[in-house]
Amino acid sequence: MTERSGIRVVLVDDQELLRTGFRMVLQAQPDIEVVGEAADGRAAVEVARSGGVDVVLMDVRMPVMDGVEATRLICAGVEGPRVLILTTFDLDDYAFAALKAGASGFLLKDVPPADLVSAIRSVHSGDAVVAPSTTRRLLERFAVHLPSPGGVEPSALSGLTAREREVLVLVARGLSNVEVAARLDLAEATVKTHLGRVLAKLGLRDRAQVVVYAYESGLVVPHSAG
């Protein structure tokens, strides 16, 4: 096997034909290597925990264990791989559950090859692959599943500075770093620094989880995020 030092990806889907198509696309990239495959969630967890995995491309509707539970188990690890969820329909309830379970974003199953490659690279670099505004719409659609405002311990937010709290809320409302910088009259690099501190203090992995956290804590309320 040719030695590679790029992004190590695991493909998880119960449809072998789909895995084959994704593998062909990804193996053609000089910086991506498919290091494993699985046809159900339990097998996915075992492969992900074997080490040497950066990104898991995860289907949700599978036998034995679904992709949401598998995502929860994989993301429970401190240094575990990042998970990208594959979904058939945009904004479906599986994507909502997967984001809460720790996924860094979601892709439609008919994603164009270039977008698939770009998404994997983005997740590997620490970003989320869905725009915060898309995540926000997802959460608003399934707001009935969210707890009432005030459900998060006050101590979780008390460690944030006033500026970090402002950045948290604006990111959750769907603003990009550039837009947050303009709104707060800060340099973009400063916004990135504040966001990095927010992630560290709240134990979040990326922007997608920032949005989920802000909604669940009541900092952002559905239909008021305009």
Side-chain angles (χ1 to χ4, degrees), residues 4 30 89 101 124 142 155 163 171 175 213 224:
R4 294 194 185 193
F89 303 105
H124 182 252
F142 294 99
S155 60
R163 182 64 85 190
V171 167
L175 276 66
Y213 185 95
S224 73

XYZ file of all heavy atoms in Angstrom, residues 4 30 89 101 124 142 155 163 171 175 213 224:
105
model
N 0.833 7.263 2.861
C 0.257 8.592 2.789
C 0.311 9.230 4.165
O 0.353 8.541 5.178
C -1.208 8.536 2.319
C -1.403 8.055 0.893
C -2.814 8.355 0.437
N -3.073 7.804 -0.891
C -4.123 8.126 -1.624
N -5.001 8.996 -1.175
N -4.299 7.586 -2.814
N -4.839 13.608 -3.258
C -3.490 13.344 -2.746
C -3.356 13.470 -1.232
O -2.428 12.923 -0.645
C -2.636 14.397 -3.464
C -3.590 15.508 -3.761
C -4.893 14.836 -4.086
N -32.258 13.840 3.611
C -33.007 15.080 3.447
C -32.397 16.195 4.278
O -32.041 15.997 5.434
C -34.465 14.885 3.872
C -35.154 13.792 3.117
C -35.400 12.572 3.720
C -35.547 13.979 1.801
C -36.032 11.549 3.035
C -36.187 12.964 1.105
C -36.419 11.752 1.713
N -25.288 15.086 19.375
C -24.429 13.977 19.803
C -22.946 14.292 19.617
O -22.097 13.544 20.097
C -24.783 12.714 19.024
N -11.547 18.455 9.197
C -10.215 18.081 9.682
C -9.458 19.282 10.222
O -8.685 19.165 11.181
C -9.423 17.424 8.552
C -8.061 16.960 8.965
N -6.901 17.592 8.566
C -7.662 15.937 9.774
C -5.866 16.974 9.098
N -6.305 15.965 9.832
N -36.652 22.081 14.939
C -36.859 21.054 15.959
C -36.790 21.641 17.364
O -36.411 20.982 18.318
C -35.838 19.927 15.787
C -36.037 19.178 14.503
C -35.251 19.460 13.403
C -37.041 18.223 14.390
C -35.456 18.793 12.204
C -37.252 17.558 13.197
C -36.463 17.842 12.095
N -22.970 28.084 36.135
C -21.507 28.060 36.227
C -20.849 27.812 34.878
O -19.715 28.222 34.649
C -21.055 26.984 37.218
O -21.513 25.712 36.797
N -17.214 39.892 26.510
C -16.937 39.868 25.074
C -17.078 38.455 24.509
O -17.625 38.269 23.418
C -15.518 40.391 24.809
C -15.153 40.450 23.342
C -16.047 41.440 22.599
N -15.522 42.792 22.699
C -16.176 43.886 22.314
N -17.412 43.757 21.834
N -15.654 45.075 22.416
N -22.230 34.208 16.916
C -21.921 33.013 16.125
C -23.156 32.109 16.078
O -23.504 31.561 15.032
C -20.718 32.252 16.726
C -20.602 30.854 16.112
C -19.426 33.029 16.478
N -23.770 34.414 12.293
C -22.790 35.334 11.731
C -21.438 34.662 11.545
O -21.019 33.847 12.372
C -22.624 36.567 12.635
C -23.642 37.707 12.440
C -25.039 37.246 12.841
C -23.219 38.939 13.250
N -25.278 24.687 21.695
C -25.132 25.085 23.100
C -25.926 26.352 23.396
O -26.620 26.452 24.418
C -23.654 25.311 23.425
C -23.395 25.615 24.881
C -23.042 24.603 25.772
C -23.500 26.913 25.374
C -22.822 24.876 27.112
C -23.285 27.191 26.716
C -22.945 26.182 27.582
O -22.732 26.457 28.899
N -35.995 34.329 17.243
C -35.569 35.667 17.671
C -34.141 35.918 17.252
O -33.542 36.897 17.645
C -35.670 35.792 19.202
O -34.637 35.058 19.837
